[in-house]
Amino acid sequence: MKQRTRKLVGTVVILVFVCVYALVAMALAQGRITEAPKLVQTVAYVVLGLAWVLPLLPLIKWMERKDS
């Protein structure tokens, strides 16, 4: 697969994943996190805000791979 095609596929997958992840993160944030102490809330929001990056790193590396 050419790099251009991989980038297109990867972009679509990233957009879908981020939309779904945002809905899940919002649902989690509206749950018990609102009743937690402020420090726990802050840590939870930071983790939820950055956790989407880790599953997408392999996809981004795959997208950036040179054509063989």
Side-chain angles (χ1 to χ4, degrees):
M1 187 181 296
K2 291 189 175 196
Q3 186 179 24
R4 183 176 175 154
T5 308
R6 283 194 307 268
K7 284 186 177 186
L8 175 65
V9 170
T11 301
V12 171
V13 170
I14 288 172
L15 288 172
V16 170
F17 178 83
V18 168
C19 289
V20 171
Y21 181 81
L23 293 173
V24 171
M26 285 187 296
L28 290 173
Q30 291 297 319
R32 294 183 181 235
I33 294 176
T34 58
E35 301 168 1
K38 294 292 182 191
L39 181 60
V40 174
Q41 286 182 9
T42 302
V43 170
Y45 292 136
V46 168
V47 169
L48 286 172
L50 296 174
W52 63 273
V53 176
L54 293 176
L56 292 179
L57 282 178
L59 176 64
I60 293 169
K61 287 180 183 177
W62 173 77
M63 289 168 56
E64 292 299 320
R65 194 174 68 204
K66 299 291 182 203
D67 291 338
S68 44

